[in-house]
Amino acid sequence: MIDPQKSSSQNKCSICDTHLKGPFCHQCGQKYTGSKISFLDLIHAFLSGLLSVERGIAGNFKNLLLKPRFVVENYAYGYRKQLYSPGQMLLYALLVVGLHVSLVDSYILGVDIELDINESWWKIFVSPQLLLILFILPFYSLTTFMVFFKEKKSFLEHFIAATYSLSFSAIISTILGDILYYLYLVELSFSSLLFLVSLFLWSTRIFAPRKRWYVQVGLFFLQFLIFLAAIAAMLLVLAGTENFQLD
């Protein structure tokens, strides 16, 4: 497997290992920005690159499934075009979650979303249920940043990894959970458990792929405990909020 960090230092393409002579690889067409990811780059990708599809969904999901660390580092070190950005993945995850809430059930990822469309728009925006889902991403990023601090990755890199992992896990757990639910094999709550397991399994694969298996298991449960503690703290804050409900 080609190392994006090493390829960047050698001015080579991380996809086909071709020596770069400009902002685009003349062999496969991948864009290379020439610098490591910045906060402004991430904001630009979220706002302007959400709907741009350069590769098929199957190819991107295959890479996220088999090479999650490569996908994260490929984006973080400036390579573009061949793989979906974190913003694109998050958009697809929100689409899948929205379809689930609209067509299957309001219960999603452990939260029962009950919104009154007759309410003012700002009341819908600050709905406690939506706020909980919104805060999962920074809490998850902070969790991996604390657990895998020895990897010496910036918080921004952890945020990128968290966006990929959370989006991928939400899509897989929601679709698979709905299929099994309609086959009368599991309850809707199964997708929540699958989501959490997938979430911390993928972050372990991204940040500690070469650790011994028992170390990976320990890191998996450490993430789980820290993340639940953070969520529990937020639930204490939201507990007194009207119309907040967890099943």
Side-chain angles (χ1 to χ4, degrees), residues 92-115 127-134 136 166-179 181-182 187-196 227 231 235 244-247:
Y92 295 136
L94 292 175
L95 177 61
V96 170
V97 169
L99 289 174
H100 169 90
V101 173
S102 301
L103 303 176
V104 181
D105 196 270
S106 61
Y107 184 86
I108 180 70
L109 303 180
V111 180
D112 192 3
I113 301 178
E114 297 179 356
L115 300 178
S127 164
Q129 296 93 341
L130 291 182
L131 286 176
L132 177 61
I133 294 178
L134 178 65
I136 285 179
L166 186 144
S167 302
F168 181 78
S169 299
I171 292 171
I172 294 299
S173 60
T174 300
I175 294 177
L176 183 58
D178 287 351
I179 292 175
Y181 173 72
Y182 275 110
E187 298 293 331
L188 278 174
S189 56
F190 172 77
S191 62
S192 303
L193 176 61
L194 183 61
F195 170 71
L196 288 175
F227 180 78
I231 295 297
L235 290 179
F244 181 74
Q245 178 182 354
L246 279 178
D247 286 346

Side-chain angles (χ1 to χ4, degrees), residues 54-82:
E54 302 291 348
R55 282 194 61 183
I57 294 177
N60 279 270
F61 271 72
K62 177 182 177 181
N63 280 300
L64 282 168
L65 179 64
L66 301 178
K67 301 183 292 184
R69 184 183 179 98
F70 170 79
V71 173
V72 172
E73 291 187 340
N74 194 63
Y75 186 82
Y77 283 94
Y79 295 98
R80 304 291 188 270
K81 187 178 179 180
Q82 293 295 321

Side-chain angles (χ1 to χ4, degrees), residues 30-50:
Q30 178 175 215
K31 182 180 179 180
Y32 177 52
T33 64
S35 61
K36 197 173 178 180
I37 187 73
S38 69
F39 184 75
L40 290 179
D41 290 332
L42 186 62
I43 293 297
H44 179 268
F46 268 76
L47 296 180
S48 64
L50 291 179

